[in-house]
Amino acid sequence: MKKITTFCIVVLLTTSFAIAQKKKVAVVTFYANKMVEFNELGGGFDFLLQDILQLRDDPNFNLTPILTKYHDNFFNDYSKEFPFDLIPESKVLESADYQKFTPKYDVKNYDAANYLMYGNYKYIYEGFIGQANEVAMAKMFADKADGVMFVYINFAFEKGFGVGSTMTIKMRATTRVALYNKTGEKVFAFSESERSKKTGVMVGGVPVVKPEKILPMCESALEELMGDLRKRIAKVVKKSAMKL
C-alpha cells in the first residue's frame, strides 16, 4: 500500500511540475491577404492585376467570415496540438507597447488595403528580412511569453482542367504559421495549403474575377485546408516545446 501511495504521489508531483513548466506563446499577428495571387496561371496574365485590385476593394469580396472561422478554429481546436499554451489575445491586443508599435515594413501608408486583419491585430511582417520585427515582438512579450507566433492565410489561382479558352481555374488557400523564441530565433515555420473543390471559369481565356465567383472558391479552399490541419500541425510541432 505504501508503495502504491508513494507512486501516486510521485506521479501527481511530476504531472503538476509538467503543467507548471508548460511554455506560453503570444500570437502577435493574424490576417488574410486580400490580393489573390495569379502567378501559377503562367505568363501572359499580367493584365489581371487591375481586376485583382478591383476585387480587393470590392465590399462584396468579404473575407471576414472565413478569416473569423479560421481564427476560431486555430485558437479553440488546432492550438490543442501545440506543446505550449497560447496566452489570451487580450494580453497582446491591449498592450500599450503593442498598440504603439510601428513594425518594419509597415503598410498603413501604402498598401494596408491588401490585408484583412483579424480584430485589432497589426500587420507585422515576418520571414525573409523580417528579423527586426521578430526580435522586437519577442522582446516585447518576453515577460509574458516564451515565444511569439505569426499566422496568416493567402489565396492563389491555379489552373484547373481544360486548355485555352475552355480552361477552369481553382483556388489554393495557404496558411503560414511561424514561431520565434524569446530572442527572436526561429523555432519553426511551416506552410500548409489545399485546393478548392469549387472551380471558376475562363471566358475567352480570361478568368472571371468577380466577388460572387471568387469568394466561394476561397471559402472552399479554406474548408479543404482546415479539414485535417490539426493533424498536420501535430506532426510539425511535436518537438517544438524543447526549442523554446
Side-chain angles (χ1 to χ4, degrees):
M1 179 63 75
K2 287 184 178 180
K3 289 183 179 180
I4 294 176
T5 302
T6 302
F7 175 75
C8 290
I9 292 173
V10 170
V11 170
L12 180 61
L13 290 174
T14 302
T15 302
S16 299
F17 180 77
I19 293 174
Q21 293 299 307
K22 197 169 185 181
K23 301 296 180 88
K24 297 184 181 299
V25 166
V27 175
V28 295
T29 193
F30 204 108
Y31 65 90
N33 191 337
K34 296 177 66 178
M35 289 290 288
V36 178
E37 298 175 6
F38 52 90
N39 295 337
E40 294 300 318
L41 295 181
F45 284 93
D46 292 346
F47 62 86
L48 275 180
L49 180 58
Q50 189 60 41
D51 290 337
I52 297 299
L53 287 169
Q54 290 179 359
L55 178 71
R56 176 201 68 181
D57 296 334
D58 193 320
N60 293 316
F61 184 58
N62 182 13
L63 292 173
T64 299
I66 63 177
L67 176 61
T68 298
K69 186 173 184 178
Y70 179 57
H71 166 273
D72 293 349
N73 282 353
F74 190 89
F75 275 84
N76 299 329
D77 185 15
Y78 310 148
S79 64
K80 294 176 182 177
E81 297 300 333
F82 293 135
F84 46 77
D85 290 328
L86 299 181
I87 70 171
E89 289 179 284
S90 59
K91 290 188 176 181
V92 175
L93 303 180
E94 294 174 10
S95 164
D97 289 337
Y98 182 80
Q99 292 175 3
K100 68 183 181 183
F101 176 70
T102 299
K104 191 171 184 181
Y105 312 114
D106 185 25
V107 298
K108 66 177 179 292
N109 293 324
Y110 51 99
D111 59 358
N114 291 354
Y115 304 99
L116 174 65
M117 311 309 301
Y118 178 82
N120 292 321
Y121 279 107
K122 289 177 174 287
Y123 170 84
I124 303 176
Y125 177 78
E126 169 274 333
F128 180 64
I129 66 173
Q131 186 179 23
N133 289 334
E134 296 150 10
V135 171
M137 287 292 98
K139 289 183 177 179
M140 183 181 296
F141 293 101
D143 63 332
K144 299 181 180 69
D146 300 285
V148 291
M149 182 176 285
F150 301 72
V151 186
Y152 69 84
I153 54 176
N154 63 12
F155 300 94
F157 285 127
E158 287 191 351
K159 292 179 179 179
F161 303 100
V163 293
S165 61
T166 60
M167 183 181 297
T168 63
I169 55 174
K170 293 250 183 191
M171 187 68 69
R172 180 171 290 276
T174 301
T175 184
R176 176 175 168 88
V177 180
L179 175 65
Y180 295 83
N181 66 17
K182 279 189 173 184
T183 63
E185 294 180 55
K186 186 190 297 181
V187 176
F188 66 70
F190 65 89
S191 297
E192 293 288 344
S193 64
E194 279 293 346
R195 301 178 83 193
S196 62
K197 284 187 176 180
K198 291 188 177 180
T199 60
V201 296
M202 290 190 177
V203 175
V206 179
V208 177
V209 185
K210 299 294 183 183
E212 62 270 21
K213 300 294 184 181
I214 304 305
L215 189 56
M217 293 168 61
C218 292
E219 293 171 343
S220 175
L222 192 60
E223 282 294 333
E224 294 301 307
L225 174 60
M226 292 191 297
D228 62 351
L229 189 55
R230 182 172 176 175
K231 293 179 182 178
R232 298 184 191 187
I233 288 176
K235 292 179 180 179
V236 174
V237 305
K238 191 173 182 180
K239 299 179 180 179
S240 61
M242 294 183 292
K243 300 179 181 179
L244 277 176

